[in-house]
Structure formats: C-alpha cells, structure tokens
Amino acid sequence: MPLRFSIRAQAPRGEFSAPAATAAPTHEVEVAVDSGEVSFGRALGSAIELPFPKVSARHARLFREAGNYRLEDLGSANGTRLAGRPLAPHAPEIIAIGELVEIGGVEIRFMGESPGTDAMASGGGTETLARRLVHDVFEACPPSECARLIVLSGPSQGREL
C-alpha cells in the first residue's frame, strides 16, 4: 500500500524572509513501498528526491517495524528533525501520522497509508517533484534576492533567466 506525504520546500533561513502570500506551495505525493522503506535524499533513485545542498545523498529513511512506522537519520551531514526535535543518527524513532519531518530546508508531513493503488498519483515521478520543489523556492524568493542566469556568449547572448 502506498504511503502519502505532504511536502513543501522552505527558503533558506537567514537569506530572506518570504511573505506569507508567496510561501512555497505544498505538494501531496504517494510513494510505493516496494523495498519496505521510503528513502529521502539528494541521490538519484531516492524514493523522495530532494535536490537541495543541505540534503545528504542518503539522508533518512522511513520503514515499518513491529506495527509502527519509524524514521531514521542515516548519518546525514545536517541532521533530520522529527516534530521539531533532532533525531540521533542511526537511532530510528516512531513517527505518528501527521507528524512533521524537516530535512535540509524541506518540510515533509507523514500522512500515512493511502487507500489508492497508484503511487505518485499527483502526477509525475520523483524527478517531477524535485523540479517542483526547486521551482517553489525560487517563486517564494523576492526578485532582488533570487539567483539568475545571464548568457554571456553564443546565440542567446544577453538572455536572462
């Protein structure tokens, strides 16, 4: 049975304060648990791919054990928070439905099992989710503080993205 998550990327702390009106949207996703766990990380192939520099390649995992879901930080560089408190590396803790997980500037709310049968029912796979999360961070950023790309040479010289 797929697991459901509500995911929202947050602007990096201290860099700018996005007004509430431009806060990043939340994305609902369903993930198949074929391997018995849901992995979170920057690495390709993670069940939930989070393409941000503060997210480790293999950051955390969620799995079922003895009738409970558990969350484990896999020794990540920047840590994992569950319900506002840091998790000790390699010491899985029980996670309740509705609890909030923070991984490298991304908020992930565990919504439990989905009665549906199609994983990623919200459209697209983890690559699509990753692109949406990065897009959301840029959308929430004030124009004066967002990164931009200017083409310096070639056929598109002067073009700004």
Side-chain angles (χ1 to χ4, degrees):
M1 185 171 288
L3 296 179
R4 294 181 305 130
F5 298 90
S6 174
I7 302 174
R8 183 174 68 183
Q10 294 297 305
R13 289 192 166 113
E15 293 186 23
F16 64 87
S17 297
T22 60
T26 300
H27 299 281
E28 303 283 329
V29 296
E30 291 183 356
V31 180
V33 191
D34 298 330
S35 66
E37 71 178 40
V38 174
S39 60
F40 303 89
R42 202 176 61 241
L44 294 175
S46 296
I48 297 184
E49 220 175 285
L50 304 170
F52 299 103
K54 290 186 177 181
V55 176
S56 295
R58 286 189 27 85
H59 199 103
R61 72 184 185 119
L62 185 136
F63 61 98
R64 190 172 181 110
E65 180 181 82
N68 293 308
Y69 283 101
R70 297 180 183 273
L71 181 69
E72 177 183 11
D73 179 274
L74 298 174
S76 65
N78 293 302
T80 303
R81 298 179 74 80
L82 174 61
R85 57 185 170 64
L87 289 179
H90 305 290
E93 291 192 24
I94 292 174
I95 181 172
I97 293 172
E99 280 195 297
L100 186 67
V101 177
E102 296 172 63
I103 296 177
V106 179
E107 292 180 348
I108 303 164
R109 188 166 306 277
F110 177 52
M111 305 303 288
E113 296 176 352
S114 173
T117 57
D118 292 334
M120 287 295 179
S122 62
T126 59
E127 300 86 8
T128 301
L129 172 64
R131 283 192 296 274
R132 286 179 182 159
L133 291 172
V134 170
H135 175 267
D136 294 346
V137 168
F138 283 113
E139 284 292 312
C141 166
S144 63
E145 296 181 15
C146 273
R148 51 190 182 127
L149 176 68
I150 301 172
V151 179
L152 297 177
S153 64
S156 296
Q157 184 174 356
R159 185 169 176 211
E160 188 173 318
L161 305 169

